[in-house]
């Protein structure tokens, strides 16, 4: 993965990345992904051979994890190295009430710093955006974070 370009407006930044996945059997996937406002989008995908819809869903997860690692490394917040355990090695993160408390702590700290709280929790836990959002929701349900929307 290589940063393609970045556009800054005030304190916000939009970043594009060229992503290439190559497999041992000669298959490859090239994608142009964009990270803006804490969200990941895929603008272009080219694959040889063509991808099925299921493969595209898995591709999105791979790109999301890689972009989170790249963005965290760019911000100086990369997850700890797992001691050579491979690309998917994650830092140890407690489960249950302790994990929810730490998620809430990371989330609030990022808000106070003016950074993306979801990306901060992603970097701290080493999980994908989808799993991180689930953890944040659990912390909200436990009353550790304010509700996302006012109830009517």
């Amino acid at each position: 993965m290589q940063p393609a370009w970045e556009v800054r407006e005030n304190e916000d930044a939009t970043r594009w990345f060229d992503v290439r996945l190559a497999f041992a059997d000669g298959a490859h996937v090239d994608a142009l992904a964009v990270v803006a406002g804490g969200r990941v989008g895929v603008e272009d995908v080219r694959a040889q051979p063509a991808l099925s819809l299921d493969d595209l869903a898995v591709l999105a997860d791979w790109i999301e994890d890689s972009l989170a690692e790249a963005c965290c490394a760019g911000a100086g917040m990369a997850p700890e190295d797992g001691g050579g355990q491979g690309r998917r090695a994650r830092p140890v993160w407690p489960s249950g009430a302790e994990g929810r408390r730490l998620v809430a702590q990371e989330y609030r700290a990022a808000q106070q710093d003016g950074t993306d709280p979801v990306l901060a929790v992603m970097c701290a836990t080493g999980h994908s955006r989808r799993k991180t959002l689930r953890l944040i929701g659990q912390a909200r349900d436990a009353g550790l974070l304010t509700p996302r929307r006012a109830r009517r």
Side-chain angles (χ1 to χ4, degrees):
M1 171 176 339
Q2 294 180 336
W5 65 92
E6 180 176 332
V7 176
R8 290 194 173 272
E9 183 177 335
N10 299 325
E11 294 181 14
D12 298 328
T14 302
R15 299 158 137 187
W16 284 265
F17 293 88
D18 288 320
V19 180
R20 181 169 179 90
L21 300 170
F23 300 93
D25 63 356
H28 66 274
V29 178
D30 294 312
L32 179 63
V34 61
V35 178
R39 294 181 180 206
V40 175
V42 178
E43 292 191 353
D44 186 37
V45 175
R46 296 173 192 252
Q48 188 65 31
L51 298 174
S52 68
L53 289 177
D54 292 336
D55 293 337
L56 281 174
V58 172
L59 173 68
D61 288 339
W62 283 345
I63 289 174
E64 186 174 69
D65 290 343
S66 299
L67 285 175
E69 291 172 13
C71 289
C72 291
M77 303 183 319
E80 298 170 13
D81 184 19
Q85 296 174 3
R87 185 183 82 77
R88 303 290 291 186
R90 292 190 175 114
V92 177
W93 192 261
S95 60
E98 179 65 16
R100 288 189 294 271
R101 187 184 65 74
L102 291 173
V103 164
Q105 201 173 30
E106 287 286 335
Y107 189 93
R108 284 191 305 267
Q111 278 183 323
Q112 290 173 351
D113 292 343
T115 60
D116 180 21
V118 176
L119 187 59
V121 175
M122 285 173 65
C123 291
T125 63
H127 290 295
S128 69
R129 183 174 184 81
R130 185 174 300 151
K131 174 71 175 173
T132 299
L133 290 172
R134 189 176 312 130
L135 291 171
I136 292 169
Q138 290 170 354
R140 284 189 200 286
D141 292 345
L144 300 170
L145 294 171
T146 58
R148 185 171 167 100
R149 293 179 198 85
R151 308 264 182 208
R152 294 182 189 210

